[in-house]
Amino acid sequence: MNKLLTFVFPVFLLGQFDQVANGFGLDIGSSGSGMFIMRNYVHASEKLALNGELRFYDIKAEDETIVYDYYTGQYKSVGGKSLVMLPVFVGGNYYPFVGKIENNFSPFIAMKGGVVTTINGEEFGTFSERWKNPGIQYTPGGFLGVGIDFKIVGQSSVMVMVGLEYLPLKKETDGRKDYSGFLIHLSFNRRAK
């Protein structure tokens, strides 16, 4: 019986997800900002979507700012951190109002989880000196939020989400052990052909 369920359940589950979209977007969070790529599988009932994403998240220091250097005539960042997070999340969106709203937008609840790779470089020196031998950590992470999927002409959509992201660390890095916080997630999606 277990062998039958192991074979039938994935076929049943994946066979119902017939709308596939690829996307990219921007993240603006309490701890920094970044960009991501994603893949979204919408169930035939349109009540559920499974998705996966890979993010590049640049962590900012609280006192980081951009200044103008009169000597070189260039702008540069001061007081920053050499800290990057690469979350790989899988999860789903639940659309509770399918068939109840007649417009081209669909509100949803999103939940994702996965692994966060944290790469910590040195704070001073040239780019190659800072990233020559970085510290690397792997920790669990996640996201919980709400959003709206705006459908556009040409099988495209714009997805906007707000919520809380969970980005803990095993050991303290650049003065903090947790980079969790508020996140705004903006995605531009196109249906795969």
Side-chain angles (χ1 to χ4, degrees), residues 148-163:
I148 299 176
D149 193 357
F150 297 97
K151 294 186 179 17
I152 305 173
V153 177
Q155 299 182 356
S156 299
S157 69
V158 175
M159 193 180 292
V160 179
M161 286 188 277
V162 294

Side-chain angles (χ1 to χ4, degrees), residues 161-182:
M161 286 188 277
V162 294
L164 297 173
E165 63 180 346
Y166 180 60
L167 301 171
L169 298 176
K170 288 180 184 173
K171 58 185 179 183
E172 188 174 298
T173 302
D174 289 342
R176 289 174 62 184
K177 197 172 177 181
D178 192 350
Y179 285 91
S180 302
F182 183 74

Side-chain angles (χ1 to χ4, degrees), residues 13 49 97 99 141 179:
L13 184 65
F97 304 112
Y179 285 91

